[in-house]
Amino acid sequence: MTQPGVLLYFEDEAPAALRLAEASGLEPQQVHRHRFPDGEMQLTLPARLPPRVVLLRSLHQPHDKLTELLLAAPTARQLGAVHLSLVAPYLAYMRQDKAFAPGQAVSQRIVGAWLATLFDAVITVDPHLHRVTTLAEVVPAQQAITLSAAPLLGNWIAKHRPGAFLLGPDSESAQWISQAATAYGLPHAVCSKERLGDRAVRITLPACDLRGQAVVLLDDVASSGHTLATAAALALAAGAASVDVAVTHALLAGDALQRIHQAGVGEFWSTDSVTHPSNVVTLAALLAQALSWEAAAG
């Protein structure tokens, strides 16, 4: 598909949406929300839509947003959308990829399959996948596109901490560490982690010399902050000259950022996948490129 299209967005994501619209050549159109006194939601989309429609919705704090998708996607099709894409820089409910106890819902499969019924294409950045290889296994849409912000974060780190030592807080971060370190020739290593609970972890540093190093912890998500805080404290105790943090998704629940800084972290950097004062890297160009691939393939 090569015809012009519309980018639908919600007011709270307007700055990111306008950057993406400029980068992609899509026409930005806001979806208006009204909440009734009983908590139900009413959405109003543009009265007419072209055949190609892209909906931007990052799915942190997901519960209202999933309802928005439930209402917005079929309405967009009724209003003229033929090819409907979801750009969800942060994709929620990806961590639960198996039942760890009898009766647990495997939310990754449920949410992924449901999104595939609503959208022809789903584009996301650094999804929290563990035991699956591709997003298509989780979201069986016509197109399921995974992007990585690691090279962009690596570029930021290389400019602001030349020669930094990249440290992954756990084995799952190895893929992002490898991408960023390879692109900019930075030394790197990965910690091992044992999760003891939602807010308790045990981390072991890799066998490397951190003395005098400007260490940057690089990961996909900062949520409770316990993993990053623990890794930072260990790196400083091992002689690191400084520790900063760079993440794709700054979820930062509660006092997470305070916890991270209290552990000795200097700078905390993130992409704009989730709007936060720490955003220093914009994803608009990366997402626009993916939309051009998706449109050409469609």
Side-chain angles (χ1 to χ4, degrees):
M1 291 184 133
T2 58
Q3 71 266 30
V6 160
L7 175 67
L8 297 177
Y9 69 94
F10 292 81
E11 182 181 11
D12 58 303
E13 292 185 312
L18 296 178
R19 288 192 292 269
L20 178 55
E22 182 177 5
S24 63
L26 296 170
E27 178 188 354
Q29 293 282 346
Q30 185 177 330
V31 177
H32 295 276
R33 289 177 292 182
H34 173 74
R35 190 177 296 278
F36 294 103
D38 61 6
E40 291 187 5
M41 189 184 307
Q42 180 187 69
L43 299 185
T44 303
L45 280 64
R48 296 183 65 181
L49 291 171
R52 184 185 182 210
V53 174
V54 176
L55 175 61
L56 172 68
R57 202 58 172 140
S58 204
L59 296 176
H60 55 292
Q61 300 179 342
H63 297 150
D64 275 357
K65 295 176 182 178
L66 293 177
T67 301
E68 291 167 0
L69 300 187
L70 172 67
L71 299 174
T75 305
R77 294 198 187 275
Q78 292 167 13
L79 295 170
V82 175
H83 189 275
L84 184 59
S85 304
L86 172 66
V87 174
Y90 177 73
L91 190 57
Y93 281 108
M94 292 295 104
R95 64 163 58 87
Q96 181 90 34
D97 57 7
K98 63 179 289 187
F100 296 95
Q104 282 186 348
V106 184
S107 57
Q108 183 191 83
R109 298 283 177 169
I110 296 167
V111 171
W114 176 68
L115 290 176
T117 68
L118 297 177
F119 297 96
D120 302 296
V122 174
I123 298 171
T124 191
V125 182
D126 291 333
H128 210 59
L129 306 178
H130 300 315
R131 281 164 282 267
V132 296
T133 306
T134 65
L135 184 65
E137 297 173 60
V138 178
V139 185
Q142 293 177 23
Q143 294 173 281
I145 299 174
T146 299
L147 308 171
S148 180
L152 297 176
L153 288 168
N155 181 56
W156 176 269
I157 293 165
K159 289 180 178 178
H160 292 82
R161 293 291 183 271
F165 190 104
L166 298 188
L167 186 62
D170 53 33
S171 60
E172 292 161 0
S173 66
Q175 57 185 307
W176 299 291
I177 288 286
S178 178
Q179 288 183 62
T182 300
Y184 296 96
L186 299 174
H188 61 285
V190 176
C191 302
S192 59
K193 180 176 77 173
E194 179 185 359
R195 182 166 290 283
L196 308 175
D198 286 345
R199 298 179 180 274
V201 295
R202 181 182 293 120
I203 289 178
T204 303
L205 288 176
C208 59
D209 187 1
L210 297 180
R211 289 174 297 178
Q213 298 276 13
V215 171
V216 178
L217 289 165
L218 178 63
D219 207 358
D220 62 333
V221 174
S223 182
S224 71
H226 284 86
T227 294
L228 291 167
T230 302
L234 288 172
L236 289 167
S242 63
V243 177
D244 301 301
V245 168
V247 301
T248 301
H249 310 296
L251 301 184
L252 296 171
D255 61 351
L257 187 57
Q258 179 183 358
R259 176 177 298 108
I260 290 168
H261 284 306
Q262 286 176 341
V265 168
E267 298 293 333
F268 183 95
W269 301 310
S270 66
T271 80
D272 63 352
S273 73
V274 176
T275 301
H276 188 267
S278 65
N279 295 165
V280 294
V281 171
T282 63
L283 298 176
L286 182 69
L287 295 170
Q289 185 178 41
L291 286 169
S292 69
W293 300 335
E294 177 256 319

